[in-house]
Amino acid sequence: MRRTLLFILLFCTTLTAAAKGKQFILCIDAGHGGHDAGAVGITAKEKDINLSVALAFGKLVEQKCRDVKVIYTRKTDIFISLQGRADIANAAHANLFISIHTNSVPDGHWAYGSETYALGKNSLGTNYNVVTGQGRVTAHQGAHQRQEAYAPATAENAIAFDLLHEAGLEQGALFAQCIQQWYKKAGRVDKGVKEGVWLVLRRTVMPAVLTELGFVSTPDEEAYLTSAGGVQTLANCLYNAFIDYRNALDHQKRKTLPLNAAPSPRPRQNPQAQQPSTTTQTTTQPQQQQQPPQQQQPPQQRQQPATNQNSQQNTPQQQPAQQSQQPPRQQPAPAQPTQHKVCFKVQILSSSKELKTNDPQFKGLKDVALYKEGNTFKYTVGQFTTLADARKYKDQLAEKYPGAFVVAFVDGKRATIQEAQQAQKK
């Protein structure tokens, strides 16, 4: 139990260090390296692109953020295992982890754009194993390594970790959104924020993302990713996203940098899709013949007004009879946009058993609400229509509940922050 409390304190410190004004530790991971080249283009290798952008990004943070300590998993062309990368971040007690990668598609195909992955709620149990007796965190002390195992995997420990790590998931998703927003501003094709279960993310115990810079397998994307302008633009995107992320956490107004964006390549047709026009005609004609009758109906409907017009000119007395036999269909009313009920709350506690509202663990709070996921009872306070108001209330509760975090609900059901924000825009 004592070890569990120590871990919870450590994890809370990791999540709230920026808000408390303490040194922020950023771990930057350049994917692949050494004998592991990663994806390859005509001349470029993923490992080199990843390292170039990682070093440029880290340099910006070191120069402009005096309160941030940057940790690199590698600064040269060396191989480090996926577990080794996570161990470096965990041992440094990093506040944020970003793994930088480059994408590819099979030969003969092209693809464009950038995307970022964050862990989802389904990965909570996997991450819990990292810090219980089933997992480990390696601390480096001189030439020796020490493995620290935390308390056994009890139900209470799992619930405590679930509460704390879910806050990390929300923050990871926030950082991923910030990254994608800056990619879009730089002219990159936005492939969105996605849920990923990459091992290097699952093995870290802090907010973590994995970003795919672009597609080295596409020739003009490869040229962009290896150019000095492309590397610097991508580094600026990551830096500005990092600034926005920190500003969102502690409500500061740190300044972002001008992008000075290098021209981002625009999508072109895949080579395999470029077929002679005669081939296209011969292949599309049979498809039109094989269409079912309901798919051929729209062209007949479009020809009908001409037929009606001719019959009206030839036999004008027949038109009223046709109208009486087939009354006009009522025009359907235009669909109204769905109005979703969205609210944000602050989650303060999870328990394996249901608690009374006057339980001492609620420390006198009056607006406690309960929702249940699986066999776990989760307790929230407050109800806000904006994310900003919920975060302000969370900050007010920081001393009583350092592991508190904002949760979102759409139409009464638990949702991610991103889903709630999208529902509000509809």
Side-chain angles (χ1 to χ4, degrees):
M1 183 64 181
R2 198 170 184 180
R3 284 182 176 269
T4 304
L5 293 175
L6 288 174
F7 166 69
I8 293 175
L9 179 61
L10 169 64
F11 197 82
C12 291
T13 302
T14 298
L15 292 179
T16 59
K20 297 293 184 180
K22 297 180 181 179
Q23 186 181 49
F24 191 104
I25 301 177
L26 169 66
C27 184
I28 302 176
D29 171 45
H32 303 278
H35 66 267
D36 179 12
V40 295
I42 298 175
T43 59
K45 296 179 180 178
E46 178 186 355
K47 65 175 184 177
D48 300 324
I49 297 172
N50 299 343
L51 184 59
S52 297
V53 175
L55 294 177
F57 169 40
K59 183 178 180 181
L60 288 173
V61 176
E62 291 169 337
Q63 290 177 342
K64 301 183 180 299
C65 303
R66 299 297 182 183
D67 62 334
V68 177
K69 180 180 180 181
V70 179
I71 301 294
Y72 300 87
T73 58
R74 70 180 182 97
K75 298 182 74 174
T76 58
D77 185 18
I78 59 174
F79 173 78
I80 301 175
S81 68
L82 297 178
Q83 181 62 59
R85 297 167 191 270
D87 285 345
I88 291 172
N90 293 336
H93 303 304
N95 301 94
L96 185 66
F97 177 88
I98 176 171
S99 187
I100 299 174
H101 285 258
T102 307
N103 222 331
S104 68
V105 289
D107 291 343
H109 296 271
W110 290 352
Y112 295 78
S114 307
E115 61 192 358
T116 304
Y117 291 84
L119 279 177
K121 292 175 63 178
N122 294 332
S123 305
L124 283 174
T126 305
N127 282 61
Y128 172 65
N129 291 338
V130 178
V131 292
T132 61
Q134 301 173 23
R136 67 183 187 281
V137 172
T138 304
H140 296 273
Q141 295 183 336
H144 302 283
Q145 291 185 344
R146 177 170 56 88
Q147 291 184 345
E148 297 179 341
Y150 292 102
T154 64
E156 289 76 12
N157 292 347
I159 291 170
F161 182 81
D162 176 74
L163 174 66
L164 294 171
H165 193 70
E166 192 168 349
L169 296 186
E170 296 287 357
Q171 292 185 12
L174 171 63
F175 185 36
Q177 292 171 33
C178 292
I179 292 173
Q180 287 302 127
Q181 288 171 2
W182 280 101
Y183 282 154
K184 288 174 63 177
K185 292 178 182 179
R188 301 290 294 146
V189 174
D190 178 21
K191 296 182 69 66
V193 175
K194 301 178 181 179
E195 181 177 322
V197 291
W198 308 106
L199 188 145
V200 74
L201 299 184
R202 289 187 284 113
R203 293 296 181 178
T204 53
V205 294
M206 72 286 301
V209 302
L210 184 149
T211 189
E212 298 276 8
L213 301 171
F215 288 82
V216 69
S217 55
T218 303
D220 42 356
E221 281 267 282
E222 178 185 17
Y224 174 82
L225 294 168
T226 55
S227 68
V231 168
Q232 194 59 54
T233 295
L234 292 168
N236 284 8
C237 287
L238 297 180
Y239 173 82
N240 288 346
F242 175 64
I243 294 301
D244 284 350
Y245 168 80
R246 294 197 68 200
N247 288 344
L249 290 185
D250 57 17
H251 310 297
Q252 298 297 316
K253 294 184 178 180
R254 303 175 183 87
K255 294 183 179 180
T256 55
L257 296 175
L259 279 179
N260 297 326
S264 183
R266 306 313 301 166
R268 294 188 292 154
Q269 191 176 21
N270 284 340
Q272 285 193 349
Q274 297 176 356
Q275 301 292 341
S277 56
T278 55
T279 304
T280 304
Q281 293 174 357
T282 56
T283 56
T284 55
Q285 187 65 27
Q287 292 176 357
Q288 293 177 356
Q289 295 175 356
Q290 295 174 2
Q291 286 180 345
Q294 61 269 25
Q295 293 181 354
Q296 295 178 355
Q297 187 64 26
Q300 295 176 1
Q301 291 177 348
R302 285 196 295 268
Q303 296 173 1
Q304 188 66 27
T307 304
N308 291 342
Q309 185 177 9
N310 294 335
S311 61
Q312 184 176 8
Q313 293 173 354
N314 297 331
T315 56
Q317 295 180 355
Q318 294 179 2
Q319 186 65 25
Q322 292 178 357
Q323 291 180 352
S324 61
Q325 294 174 2
Q326 296 181 356
R329 295 182 180 180
Q330 186 177 1
Q331 188 70 19
Q336 297 295 326
T338 304
Q339 297 293 329
H340 294 285
K341 184 178 180 181
V342 178
C343 70
F344 301 92
K345 301 181 180 182
V346 180
Q347 186 165 317
I348 59 172
L349 188 66
S350 291
S351 174
S352 59
K353 60 181 180 180
E354 187 171 0
L355 304 175
K356 296 182 179 180
T357 56
N358 62 349
D359 191 281
Q361 295 186 65
F362 298 132
K363 303 178 182 180
L365 293 174
K366 301 298 183 182
D367 54 345
V368 178
L370 163 69
Y371 74 97
K372 188 176 180 182
E373 287 187 337
N375 296 323
T376 304
F377 298 91
K378 301 188 177 185
Y379 297 88
T380 65
V381 290
Q383 183 167 321
F384 306 90
T385 56
T386 68
L387 178 60
D389 289 340
R391 284 176 173 164
K392 289 179 181 178
Y393 189 47
K394 181 206 70 173
D395 292 342
Q396 295 174 10
L397 299 174
E399 291 188 6
K400 289 184 177 180
Y401 299 97
F405 58 96
V406 176
V407 293
F409 293 85
V410 176
D411 298 330
K413 296 182 180 180
R414 179 78 163 84
T416 65
I417 298 294
Q418 183 183 16
E419 290 170 342
Q421 290 177 321
Q422 292 175 345
Q424 283 184 322
K425 295 178 182 179
K426 294 181 179 179

